[in-house]
Amino acid sequence: MNVRVGPAGSGDIDEIAALETAAFPLDPWSPNLLREAVGGLVPTMALLAARSPDDGVFAGYAVVSVVDVDAELQRIAVPPALRRTGVAAALLAATRALAAERGATRLLLEVREDNVIARTFYDRHGFAELGRRPRYYRDGTTALVLSTPVTMDP
Ligand SMILES: CC(C)(COP(=O)(O)OP(=O)(O)OC[C@H]1O[C@@H](n2cnc3c(N)ncnc32)[C@H](O)[C@@H]1OP(=O)(O)O)[C@@H](O)C(=O)NCCC(=O)NCCS
């Protein structure tokens, strides 16, 4: 799917919050937290939204924070009906560009060990395992910490 990725605005919040709840039901970010992040109240954090350039249909979002040389991809999600069409790849490319612009050299993330789909996606995009955090999630699942150089996108 052809998408345009740009900074999320207040008009994106309802759709981001709905997808957040559907994609991360165990620990969704609240609309208030998303609103603060979009409003620039968390200076290290940036939200990106993907939309169809033709009809403006919402196609997903990513949240990244950058502190010094480390960027962290905190969220990435695409509505189920639009998955497997390259939207997350476009969001990741925009995340890399933003992180590089802010001076980061490394892109980190945490992923549930049982999230095979996301792990396949990250593997394909050059992420390597940096470490593990046993029982990191509330339901006892281990978190894998993955890392990739910011500027590399194979
Ligand atoms: C993970 C996620 C963001 C991927 O989004 P996407 O837009 O479907 O990804 P893309 O289309 O850009 O990339 C597709 C690639 O990812 C991997 N992938 C995606 N869905 C897959 C699936 N169901 N089975 C196996 N591999 C899959 C494959 O490598 C695939 O490439 P291929 O289609 O050529 O085989 C999406 O599945 C999602 O929103 N999941 C729920 C939220 C989530 O788990 N986020 C990550 C938290 S760490």
Side-chain angles (χ1 to χ4, degrees):
M1 184 189 181
N2 183 24
V3 287
R4 184 180 299 139
V5 179
S10 51
D12 297 309
I13 297 219
D14 289 350
E15 284 157 303
I16 292 176
L19 179 51
E20 173 75 17
T21 305
F24 306 105
L26 294 178
D27 61 343
W29 288 9
S30 69
N32 268 350
L33 177 59
L34 292 166
R35 211 166 281 121
E36 285 179 7
V38 165
L41 294 178
V42 191
T44 52
M45 201 179 284
L47 268 82
L48 296 169
R51 287 192 180 272
S52 158
D54 307 321
D55 50 17
V57 165
F58 174 72
Y61 69 102
V63 181
V64 60
S65 67
V66 182
V67 177
D68 197 32
V69 295
D70 279 340
E72 187 172 352
L73 182 61
Q74 300 197 326
R75 291 296 208 229
I76 185 165
V78 172
L82 301 178
R83 286 181 192 164
R84 218 107 191 228
T85 64
V87 175
L91 282 162
L92 180 60
T95 297
R96 286 181 185 278
L98 186 148
E101 211 173 90
R102 295 193 180 185
T105 56
R106 191 165 71 148
L107 180 59
L108 302 162
L109 61 84
E110 282 148 10
V111 60
R112 292 174 62 96
E113 191 173 29
D114 60 3
N115 192 344
V116 176
I117 291 174
R119 287 177 61 188
T120 305
F121 172 78
Y122 295 134
D123 191 49
R124 184 178 178 152
H125 287 276
F127 284 82
E129 189 176 317
L130 195 66
R132 293 174 161 252
R133 296 184 176 151
R135 297 176 300 283
Y136 180 80
Y137 296 100
R138 229 188 292 169
D139 65 353
T141 300
T142 292
L144 305 184
V145 182
L146 307 185
S147 165
T148 183
V150 159
T151 51
M152 188 190 76
D153 202 359

